[in-house]
Amino acid sequence: MINLVLLLTAALVSLQCCFVGAAIINSKNDLDNRLKPNVAPTPRRRLGSFVKMLSAPPESVSLIPGTPLELSCVVAGHPAPTIQWLKNGETLPDYEESANEILNIHPSSIVQLVTKLVVATASNGDEYTCVASTGVKQKIATTIVYTTEAQDPLRALFRPSVPVIIYYYDTIFQNQGTTVVLPCRVSSFSPAQIYWMDNDDKLIYGNSRMQVLPSGDLLISVLEWRDMGNFTCTAKNMYGKVAASTFVYPVKP
């Protein structure tokens, strides 16, 4: 009788241990499931290409005889857009030569760009069109120029004036480690000198990573975080000088 009681007691203790052990295992499984949920990470969205006209020239404007007219377009785009100016639907060769040379455009670039067209002479009703393009996407703005009297082309051509920076980036975001070219294209009726100041307001000269190109553009090799800030292009001729700054933001890829 005593042996039977002892056997029953031992059996009950053994069953209790099994239940407790199972509870502990189940509790650990529940805890692990809570700590390690099987959830897929959310993929990062990629910025698609775009172009936007931020500021367009007026729909119509009057040209004062003997005074050059400046038409301005401000656009934003990804990658960096290119600009063409047309006169009565035809490409302006002078503008193409001075401002629309091929730039090294990186696909990661996001740019706000300022472009200007200097109109020295025009016939009444001439149309000038700013065409901003990124890939197959375009934005267009057209200005009609009105004149009140005949103009002397030689008088307008040789009128003393300071240079005009007709093509530059106001802001650029681009991946670190890439090569970036900051345009600085100039229109001047007399020979002009172009120089750049870096983001520490120091003259760029003899720098192994930064070089002023014959076109006036600034080339920065292997863009680094320390390059963040304003780079300033200055154009100077015998009548004065003008400057334009580009804010560079190196983006971590």
Side-chain angles (χ1 to χ4, degrees), residues 46-237:
R46 293 187 176 181
L47 180 64
S49 63
F50 73 90
V51 61
K52 183 176 182 180
M53 186 80 66
L54 300 180
S55 177
E59 294 183 359
S60 63
V61 66
S62 296
L63 177 62
I64 300 174
T67 302
L69 172 68
E70 292 184 18
L71 302 177
S72 177
C73 270
V74 181
V75 301
H78 167 69
T82 58
I83 301 292
Q84 284 185 319
W85 281 94
L86 312 177
K87 178 180 180 179
N88 298 325
E90 300 292 333
T91 301
L92 287 169
D94 291 342
Y95 183 86
E96 288 289 299
E97 180 180 351
S98 62
N100 233 28
E101 298 174 12
I102 296 175
L103 289 171
N104 181 11
I105 296 175
H106 194 270
S108 69
S109 61
I110 304 173
V111 163
Q112 180 173 318
L113 181 154
V114 179
T115 178
K116 298 179 180 181
L117 178 68
V118 180
V119 180
T121 61
S123 298
N124 191 48
D126 279 346
E127 293 186 356
Y128 292 86
T129 303
C130 172
V131 182
S133 305
T134 295
V136 297
K137 299 183 178 180
Q138 284 189 344
K139 293 293 182 181
I140 297 174
T142 297
T143 298
I144 301 176
V145 176
Y146 296 103
T147 60
T148 56
E149 59 183 78
Q151 299 177 76
D152 181 357
L154 292 178
R155 179 185 174 189
L157 182 62
F158 294 103
R159 182 177 182 273
S161 61
V162 299
V164 178
I165 298 177
I166 59 174
Y167 200 95
Y168 69 95
Y169 293 160
D170 179 82
T171 308
I172 179 169
F173 294 77
Q174 187 166 309
N175 284 353
Q176 297 176 32
T178 62
T179 296
V180 60
V181 177
L182 307 182
C184 182
R185 305 293 170 84
V186 175
S187 173
S188 178
F189 295 124
S190 61
Q193 175 190 7
I194 298 175
Y195 58 92
W196 281 85
M197 308 296 287
D198 66 14
N199 55 341
D200 287 326
D201 204 27
K202 295 179 180 178
L203 180 67
I204 296 177
Y205 180 78
N207 189 313
S208 60
R209 285 197 310 115
M210 301 180 186
Q211 178 186 0
V212 180
L213 302 177
S215 62
D217 302 344
L218 175 65
L219 183 147
I220 304 176
S221 301
V222 192
L223 188 64
E224 300 178 1
W225 177 251
R226 60 175 172 154
D227 297 327
M228 183 175 67
N230 282 311
F231 288 77
T232 302
C233 168
T234 300
K236 180 180 180 181
N237 67 11

